[in-house]
Amino acid sequence: MEAFVPLLLLCLLVYSPHPSSSLPMCTNFRAPVTANEPLAFCPSYKGRVCCDSTKDSKLQRQFEAMDIKDPDCASAIKSILCAACDQFSANLFKVESQIRSVPVLCDSPNSQDSSLSKQSETSFCTNVWDTCQNVSMRNSPFAPSLQGAGGLPENTSSKLTDLWQSRNDFCTAFGGKPDDSNQCFNGSPILLNLTQTPVPPKGLCLERLGDKGYINMAAHPDGSDRAFFSDLPGKIWLTTIPSHDSREPLGLDESSPFVDLTDQVKFDTVFGLMGIAFHPNFSKNALSRQQNTSTTKMYSVRS
């Protein structure tokens, strides 16, 4: 039996820039967008960012509620809160494992790799400790409760020295160093090196569009917003993908499949229709459903 590699996998994203680069991504797992207007609270974040005006205002309210009297400490804490707007915020906040209260603070004088802008040659985590260790703030994002220990009552004022015994303990909890796959925050936005052309991602990632358990999805070869969906028993549907964030249903009529191969597919607990491949000239020679059926290669493969 001939094996088959699907043409396109649902939510497969292949990215292949410089090996030590990180992929710009927000903490909601979406790509950063170009801001329609400057951010009022976090104006240093321009171009492609992970904040809109609503999130920017929310960060401002959070900062004001902290009631930090020392201007130097306030400036450092503001930059930490605004890191949520960074185009690399998903990497800074480590959302692949758990969402952190603050980004990973650079705790060594290392610079970022050559594919990104050079970072500060001082330890930002050390600077935060030295600047804020004796400054009171409400609802501190550095409370040990966020690291798994006992929590603090809401609106409680505390100093870093109330929460952590030493700078070493503080930076062990919140610090980190940049490496081949991660970034750390040094107080300013991470910018791509403008001397290099970023390699765009290859692939397609879709929102969940319905409750049906389709086993395969393949984009139409004509490059339109249509896609083929299939299930294990052997039915294939063609439908138009709704616009991003439209909240419109997929609009797939299960009673009218594009192709029905259930009489040709061996379907049981370990067999079924697992993939779809298209004739190289599919978009030109697929003039009818009958031709589409004859020019589309489908295989029942062992799962």
Side-chain angles (χ1 to χ4, degrees):
M1 182 177 295
E2 185 175 355
F4 175 74
V5 178
L7 176 68
L8 186 64
L9 297 179
L10 182 62
C11 280
L12 172 65
L13 186 64
V14 179
Y15 188 71
S16 57
H18 188 279
S20 61
S21 297
S22 297
L23 174 65
M25 185 176 290
C26 304
T27 54
N28 60 2
F29 294 104
R30 293 184 176 177
V33 298
T34 301
N36 294 326
E37 57 186 20
L39 300 178
F41 180 64
C42 303
S44 60
Y45 289 89
K46 304 173 183 178
R48 294 183 63 80
V49 297
C50 289
C51 285
D52 55 17
S53 58
T54 300
K55 187 171 183 178
D56 184 64
S57 298
K58 182 178 179 179
L59 292 173
Q60 182 174 4
R61 291 193 297 271
Q62 179 183 355
F63 173 73
E64 292 172 349
M66 295 175 73
D67 192 27
I68 304 172
K69 304 299 185 183
D70 183 87
D72 292 334
C73 178
S75 178
I77 300 304
K78 177 180 177 180
S79 72
I80 289 173
L81 296 180
C82 284
C85 299
D86 198 290
Q87 62 178 329
F88 289 90
S89 60
N91 195 268
L92 291 173
F93 285 81
K94 302 286 187 181
V95 298
E96 68 275 7
S97 55
Q98 63 179 12
I99 299 178
R100 297 164 51 98
S101 58
V102 297
V104 177
L105 308 180
C106 292
D107 66 353
S108 72
N110 294 343
S111 61
Q112 300 284 359
D113 63 82
S114 59
S115 67
L116 300 173
S117 62
K118 188 175 182 181
Q119 301 292 295
S120 173
E121 293 298 326
T122 60
S123 168
F124 182 69
C125 189
T126 296
N127 289 341
V128 172
W129 173 266
D130 292 344
T131 303
C132 297
Q133 59 178 317
N134 293 312
V135 178
S136 294
M137 63 183 76
R138 293 182 182 274
N139 301 319
S140 173
F142 304 105
S145 61
L146 301 169
Q147 302 297 312
L152 293 174
E154 187 176 358
N155 291 324
T156 298
S157 292
S158 60
K159 304 175 183 178
L160 295 185
T161 51
D162 297 330
L163 305 172
W164 302 94
Q165 292 184 354
S166 67
R167 182 179 64 191
N168 182 67
D169 289 343
F170 174 77
C171 287
T172 296
F174 297 102
K177 301 177 178 63
D179 56 33
D180 287 348
S181 59
N182 295 309
Q183 308 299 330
C184 62
F185 182 66
N186 80 330
S188 59
I190 297 176
L191 302 175
L192 292 172
N193 188 338
L194 299 180
T195 62
Q196 298 182 5
T197 302
V199 179
K202 298 177 180 179
L204 178 68
C205 189
L206 300 175
E207 299 177 61
R208 181 174 179 176
L209 301 175
D211 296 326
K212 175 70 174 179
Y214 304 108
I215 192 65
N216 188 70
M217 185 279 294
H220 198 294
D222 65 3
S224 67
D225 55 357
R226 295 182 296 168
F228 293 90
F229 290 80
S230 66
D231 62 10
L232 276 175
K235 290 183 179 181
I236 301 174
W237 295 268
L238 175 62
T239 188
T240 300
I241 303 298
S243 300
H244 180 65
D245 278 344
S246 67
R247 298 186 179 275
E248 296 180 1
L250 187 60
L252 187 152
D253 184 0
E254 294 188 5
S255 65
S256 180
F258 181 78
V259 178
D260 187 344
L261 300 173
T262 53
D263 59 342
Q264 302 178 44
V265 173
K266 178 177 176 55
F267 172 61
D268 59 23
T269 57
V270 293
F271 288 94
L273 178 63
M274 301 298 292
I276 307 171
F278 298 93
H279 187 282
N281 294 321
F282 181 90
S283 58
K284 295 181 180 180
N285 62 23
L287 301 178
S288 67
R289 178 170 297 188
Q290 290 73 25
Q291 281 185 304
N292 288 336
T293 303
S294 64
T295 58
T296 304
K297 297 181 180 179
M298 301 137 190
Y299 300 95
S300 173
V301 299
R302 189 180 184 91
S303 61

